[in-house]
Amino acid sequence: MKKLSVCVLFGGMSPEHEVSLRSAESVLNNMDPEKYNIFPVGITKNGDWVLYTGTDYSLLPSGEWMDHPGNRRAAISPVRGQGLLSFEGDCVVRERIDVVFPVLHGENGEDGAMQGLLQLAGIPYVGPHVSASAVSMDKTLTKLVADQAGIPQAAWLLVRNSELEVRLDAVMDQIEERFAYPVFVKPAGTGSSVGVSKAMNREDLRMALLQAGTYDEKILVEEFIHGREVEVAVMGNGNPVASVCGEIDSGAEFYDYDAKYLTDTSVAYIPARISEDVAEQVREAAVRVYTAIGCQGMSRVDFFVTYEGEQVVFNEINTLPGFTSISMYPKLFGASGIAYGQLIDELLRLAMEAEE
């Protein structure tokens, strides 16, 4: 069989740029060069596209990859059949690309924008397509779909940043009338807990709303659910399958960006410390959410399981979840019998299958 030519996109202009670099390092180190012609393309924080011609992927997280002397400016052409273009002086080098693995998180990578470009280019890609990516990235739209599908979730309220500029106190009054403290305040369109706060009182709430508003016009306010944080990896196109359940004990107020990537306070339990019956409920709910949104390829679906009564409560879905060495998505499928390299093979296969 001929080798597949795979373009791995990483970096990006979102606040999750550094997380993407770590994810891409792991993906590239676990991608078999005997099976694939690999084209790593990094997107800088300024939006420049660079074909990385080195082979030392450990340089990605530090940013040293950008200094490789063989690097070339690059682009994926929206014109079908053109593939990956790289620029060397006055010359343009065109590479046929069979499939793209967008190891991107957040704005312009996970929200349907990149998926739209790849759709125009006619290049298969890993993960959900445009509409599912856009809905999943906007937490308020995700909530509407989950409501319509009858999936239990935390009570929530949509606030707009433009409201805060003219009626901040009135907005806080409205929130306090609806919810008891603590409450969670989240930008609608970020991942990796970027801009997320847990507000314990009115002053916390003021600061949380203003912080979330720096990331997004739409702000989600949610009731606090007292329970375990349980995650499930889902994979597939027409017949998705769910992994074993995993549990995160953040060791902090909540599973924020620092707990995920910068400190060692969090502990993962695989399988989660819940009964088998509840674990099956979580897995079924994960597939229901995945299907209702119209996902394909992969997603990680996050829940709470309440300490009292073990009620399963949907939290959010991540269509391009972290792929770092400590990320839950590959660890959950690893615990389900699918090793990291095999997982990459299957995701690329599913991407190609979706375009047949």
Side-chain angles (χ1 to χ4, degrees):
M1 292 180 64
K2 71 172 185 178
K3 284 187 180 181
L4 281 181
S5 292
V6 182
C7 176
V8 177
L9 292 176
F10 61 90
M13 299 174 67
S14 84
E16 298 166 76
H17 179 94
E18 286 76 16
V19 181
S20 171
L21 297 180
R22 296 185 193 183
S23 290
E25 177 193 14
S26 293
V27 168
L28 288 162
N29 278 329
N30 284 278
M31 190 173 284
D32 187 351
E34 296 297 316
K35 296 179 180 177
Y36 308 113
N37 295 314
I38 304 169
F39 297 90
V41 175
I43 303 171
T44 70
K45 290 183 177 181
N46 295 324
D48 296 324
W49 290 45
V50 180
L51 173 62
Y52 175 51
T53 57
T55 56
D56 184 356
Y57 302 128
S58 69
L59 300 180
L60 267 62
S62 67
E64 294 174 80
W65 68 274
M66 289 189 290
D67 299 323
H68 192 277
N71 287 351
R72 301 197 295 267
R73 291 185 304 115
I76 287 179
S77 172
V79 179
R80 286 179 174 250
Q82 293 298 301
L84 175 67
L85 308 179
S86 61
F87 306 93
E88 199 167 10
D90 294 331
C91 298
V92 179
V93 179
R94 184 170 68 85
E95 302 285 358
R96 177 184 56 82
I97 297 297
D98 295 307
V99 60
V100 170
F101 195 147
V103 189
L104 297 164
H105 309 306
E107 184 180 4
N108 293 323
E110 193 175 356
D111 58 4
M114 184 63 68
Q115 289 73 16
L117 169 62
L118 298 174
Q119 201 89 7
L120 287 172
I123 304 175
Y125 53 92
V126 171
H129 282 189
V130 177
S131 59
S133 297
V135 169
S136 298
M137 193 67 202
D138 186 326
K139 296 178 180 66
T140 61
L141 296 181
T142 306
K143 293 285 188 184
L144 292 174
V145 173
D147 276 342
Q148 183 64 30
I151 297 162
Q153 58 187 328
W156 59 283
L157 183 68
L158 169 62
V159 174
R160 296 190 177 273
N161 185 49
S162 53
E163 293 182 81
L164 305 183
E165 299 171 5
V166 293
R167 50 188 299 271
L168 176 56
D169 284 316
V171 168
M172 291 194 296
D173 290 342
Q174 181 185 9
I175 293 169
E176 289 178 331
E177 287 173 10
R178 178 154 186 187
F179 303 114
Y181 288 110
V183 294
F184 277 99
V185 180
K186 307 175 179 180
T190 64
S192 297
S193 297
V194 171
V196 176
S197 302
K198 183 179 180 181
M200 306 298 292
N201 53 50
R202 189 175 178 91
E203 185 54 33
D204 284 354
L205 180 61
R206 181 187 302 274
M207 297 301 294
L209 289 168
L210 294 175
Q211 175 179 283
T214 65
Y215 291 98
D216 203 311
E217 164 63 16
K218 296 168 75 174
I219 301 167
L220 181 69
V221 181
E222 288 182 312
E223 71 169 325
F224 171 69
I225 302 295
H226 188 52
R228 303 181 189 277
E229 297 189 43
V230 176
E231 302 182 350
V232 181
V234 181
M235 179 170 57
N237 293 336
N239 297 292
V241 296
S243 71
V244 300
C245 298
E247 178 187 347
I248 296 293
D249 183 345
S250 67
E253 273 295 318
F254 66 98
Y255 196 36
D256 61 7
Y257 185 94
D258 286 356
K260 287 178 177 177
Y261 303 111
L262 303 181
T263 68
D264 57 2
T265 59
S266 64
V267 178
Y269 295 93
I270 303 174
R273 297 173 295 179
I274 53 179
S275 68
E276 186 54 44
D277 285 348
V278 173
E280 189 57 31
Q281 291 178 44
V282 172
R283 295 172 75 248
E284 288 177 358
V287 171
R288 284 178 62 202
V289 171
Y290 187 93
T291 304
I293 292 174
C295 293
Q296 62 188 44
M298 68 169 171
S299 292
R300 195 194 71 236
V301 192
D302 302 347
F303 296 87
F304 298 108
V305 175
T306 62
Y307 291 119
E308 186 175 344
E310 287 198 307
Q311 299 299 306
V312 176
V313 181
F314 169 60
N315 181 19
E316 62 184 30
I317 184 170
N318 298 271
T319 55
L320 290 177
F323 262 81
T324 71
S325 58
I326 61 170
S327 292
M328 287 294 277
Y329 190 91
K331 287 173 71 173
L332 288 168
F333 270 119
S336 303
I338 302 176
Y340 198 124
Q342 183 184 355
L343 179 61
I344 291 173
D345 292 344
E346 182 63 11
L347 290 172
L348 292 171
R349 187 195 69 77
L350 287 167
M352 299 289 289
E353 176 190 87
E355 298 302 317
E356 291 177 354

